[in-house]
Amino acid sequence: MKKLQDKILSDGKVLSESVLKVDSFLNHQIDPPLMQAIGEEFASRFKNAGITKILTLESSGIAPAMMTGLVLGVPAVFARKRKSLTLVDHMYTASVYSFTKNETNDISVSKDFIQQNDVVLVMDDFLANGQAALGLLDIVEQSEAKLAGIGIVIEKGFQPGGSLLRKQGIRVETLANIASLENGQVTFLEEADT
Ligand code: G4P
Ligand code: NA
Ligand code: NA
């Protein structure tokens, strides 16, 4: 997606060979028109998939998930990272290991909001090692809903998450796929390669 790639090049900051900071439009401050364009792009890619629900993870997945839900006309549900104090037996839970933080966190979703007859689009802001996506897939599996695919705003194609998921036959759509952050430069994979 050209508009997103241009935004990453103009406003993204390469912090290291593996970390891209996008606080000014995605992870802290949010750019609503860009988020709307992102929602329209995901909605167009998944328009024939019969999606009834979007599932993401708080906090940075919420903005793109909500805009995609707006265009598709379906609700967006976000998994919570902190355990709810009530109704624990009424929640799907999964463990997510973070390589960056070297810690495992539980995520949870109420059974009220994802059900067996749903067709779910899993979304997130970043795809790096794929652990967050795997946790969300675990929840979809527990619900016995159908998985339509995964929509990712920024994939770091040089990290293993994307191939891990695609190897399982899952449809993964990413709007900007980064081939490298070497020498302080963002290089994208061509759309055809993703
Ligand atoms: P993984 O799910 O791919 O295994 O991710 P990892 O543990 O490596 O990442 C932990 C957090 O860091 C996630 O956000 C993820 O979206 C984010 N992240 C990973 N790589 C990058 C990067 O290059 N740049 C930025 N800006 N973020 C990255 P989170 O902790 O769930 O936070 P949030 O959703 O509340 O923002
Ligand atoms: Na995230
Ligand atoms: Na994040």
Side-chain angles (χ1 to χ4, degrees):
M1 184 182 169
K2 176 84 166 57
K3 192 172 183 171
L4 174 63
Q5 291 190 348
D6 289 347
K7 189 71 169 179
I8 291 169
L9 292 174
S10 63
D11 293 24
K13 305 239 179 324
V14 178
L15 289 195
S16 71
E17 292 196 346
S18 64
V19 179
L20 173 70
K21 189 168 168 138
V22 288
D23 268 20
S24 69
F25 60 93
L26 181 61
N27 288 144
H28 195 7
Q29 174 171 260
I30 294 172
D31 179 334
L34 177 66
M35 236 28 80
Q36 182 173 28
I38 284 170
E40 284 162 358
E41 180 66 25
F42 280 126
S44 130
R45 293 191 191 194
F46 285 99
K47 67 174 181 285
N48 297 319
I51 289 157
T52 64
K53 208 128 286 187
I54 296 170
L55 177 62
T56 189
L57 182 56
E58 66 174 345
S59 56
S60 298
I62 295 175
M66 192 192 122
M67 293 314 293
T68 305
L70 179 66
V71 182
L72 286 174
V74 302
V77 179
F78 61 93
R80 297 186 166 220
K81 287 175 178 165
R82 281 163 301 280
K83 276 205 192 87
S84 164
L85 294 175
T86 56
L87 296 173
V88 174
D89 54 349
H90 199 63
M91 310 286 281
Y92 306 114
T93 62
S95 291
V96 175
Y97 174 70
S98 169
F99 285 95
T100 332
K101 295 168 186 161
N102 187 25
E103 63 184 27
T104 300
N105 288 110
D106 287 339
I107 62 170
S108 57
V109 174
S110 166
K111 291 181 179 173
D112 286 340
F113 302 128
I114 307 274
Q115 286 163 345
Q116 197 173 7
N117 56 352
D118 277 316
V119 179
V120 180
L121 171 61
V122 166
M123 288 185 62
D124 209 354
D125 58 335
F126 267 91
L127 176 58
N129 293 294
Q131 298 303 304
L134 288 174
L136 293 171
L137 294 181
D138 187 343
I139 283 172
V140 174
E141 211 161 279
Q142 291 174 43
S143 75
E144 298 178 29
K146 186 175 168 231
L147 176 73
I150 302 180
I152 297 291
V153 180
I154 302 174
E155 175 174 352
K156 292 191 289 182
F158 56 91
Q159 292 186 331
S163 50
L164 186 82
L165 297 166
R166 291 184 181 97
K167 245 184 354 213
Q168 299 182 28
I170 296 167
R171 178 179 177 195
V172 182
E173 294 284 342
T174 61
L175 303 190
N177 196 336
I178 295 173
S180 158
L181 293 173
E182 280 165 32
N183 306 314
Q185 298 278 0
V186 182
T187 313
F188 296 103
L189 281 173
E190 294 307 316
E191 298 253 331
D193 297 338
T194 67

